[in-house]
Amino acid sequence: MSIWVRITDFVSATAIPAFSAVIEAVRTLFEGDPETRRRVAFSVAMIALSAKMAKADGVVMQSEVDAFKEIFDIPDEHADQVSMLYNLAKQDVAGFDSYAAQLANLCSSQEGENCPILRDIIDGLFHIAKADNLLHSNELAFLQEVAAIFSISDAEFDRILSRHVDKGASDPYRILGLKHGVEYSDARAVYMDLVREHHPDNFLARGLPMEFMKISTDRMAAINDAWHSVEADLKRL
């Protein structure tokens, strides 16, 4: 069943006075169905944190809304319910930090402390933040704070950042988490581990919605592009 049907059912069945109550509503409504709860929680998180981040630089740009819609390929018949959640998140006076902490708690209760879904959310938020071809300092601060709440290490955040923002010639190494001077065999082993970890099949295996596959395919493309650059560099040595 489409995640948008689930979102519509969720909105229709739940009285949500403020977005800060959404996570508990998701936990309660889908208590007996952990896979659906995971998919709905991920989708609602992307809606909420996208809305909060779009305001981080003081103005919601059309390009950011368009990027949101690029990740969220929303059928017309479900657009009103998604828009309601998006607008509710923008208007909610509760800080995003409280909501992010609730989400991290929900995720860790299902997946354990190292919850890969939280990295997927950060990846999706970067896609939206860079939609206007400028990562605003307030947006970066927002992403760093959310990542800290999600217990994503500085090194992991730097690798995610490098996939989305060009920081110079060292980027391919940063994306793969490699240092210059690494042996080819060691570099290839790291690359193969990343391919296994981030393959789109794993995205679906985590129970995440097919509608968000772009996050995973973009990530895999960045890893492959980085490896092609690193491989060529190492073979020249």
Side-chain angles (χ1 to χ4, degrees):
M1 182 181 294
S2 165
I3 189 59
W4 305 121
V5 174
R6 291 294 193 183
I7 292 291
T8 296
D9 291 346
F10 169 71
V11 172
S12 301
T14 311
I16 307 172
F19 213 98
S20 53
V22 166
I23 281 294
E24 193 54 43
V26 170
R27 188 194 302 271
T28 300
L29 188 61
F30 300 106
E31 183 66 36
D33 188 352
E35 181 175 347
T36 298
R37 181 172 61 182
R38 185 184 303 112
R39 294 172 70 231
V40 172
F42 176 87
S43 305
V44 169
M46 287 301 304
I47 294 169
L49 292 175
S50 296
K52 291 290 191 184
M53 188 182 64
K55 295 181 65 179
D57 57 2
V59 59
V60 179
M61 303 289 292
Q62 184 59 44
S63 56
E64 292 168 327
V65 176
D66 290 343
F68 173 85
K69 291 178 179 177
E70 184 179 348
I71 291 180
F72 294 79
D73 185 14
I74 307 166
D76 290 342
E77 62 269 26
H78 302 296
D80 287 347
Q81 287 78 13
V82 175
S83 293
M84 190 210 79
L85 288 175
Y86 189 88
N87 290 327
L88 187 63
K90 283 197 302 182
Q91 297 161 8
D92 195 355
V93 296
F96 70 88
D97 51 344
S98 173
Y99 176 74
Q102 285 182 291
L103 180 67
N105 178 263
L106 174 63
C107 189
S108 63
S109 69
Q110 293 183 205
E111 305 289 337
E113 289 303 315
N114 184 26
C115 184
I117 295 173
L118 300 177
R119 297 198 300 272
D120 296 327
I121 292 171
I122 294 293
D123 246 342
L125 292 174
F126 262 109
H127 179 85
I128 294 168
K130 67 181 185 180
D132 56 0
N133 297 314
L134 175 65
L135 182 63
H136 193 280
S137 59
N138 288 349
E139 292 172 324
L140 179 58
F142 175 95
L143 289 163
Q144 288 173 318
E145 188 166 349
V146 172
I149 293 169
F150 286 173
S151 297
I152 294 172
S153 70
D154 290 344
E156 178 67 17
F157 183 82
D158 188 60
R159 286 194 290 273
I160 298 172
L161 173 65
S162 296
R163 289 201 294 267
H164 294 278
V165 179
D166 184 3
K167 298 185 71 175
S170 64
D171 266 6
Y173 285 86
R174 290 160 57 94
I175 289 170
L176 301 176
L178 297 172
K179 294 182 178 179
H180 286 274
V182 64
E183 293 291 332
Y184 177 86
S185 58
D186 293 336
R188 179 169 173 78
V190 169
Y191 165 66
M192 295 305 298
D193 284 344
L194 289 172
V195 168
R196 284 188 288 269
E197 180 183 356
H198 295 294
H199 193 280
D201 287 349
N202 289 336
F203 188 86
L204 297 178
R206 293 198 289 274
L208 298 176
M210 174 68 77
E211 290 85 349
F212 297 85
M213 181 58 74
K214 180 174 176 56
I215 294 172
S216 181
T217 54
D218 282 358
R219 175 193 300 157
M220 199 68 249
I223 290 170
N224 284 331
D225 287 346
W227 171 245
H228 292 153
S229 296
V230 169
E231 183 180 37
D233 187 43
L234 292 177
K235 285 184 175 180
R236 284 196 296 267
L237 299 178

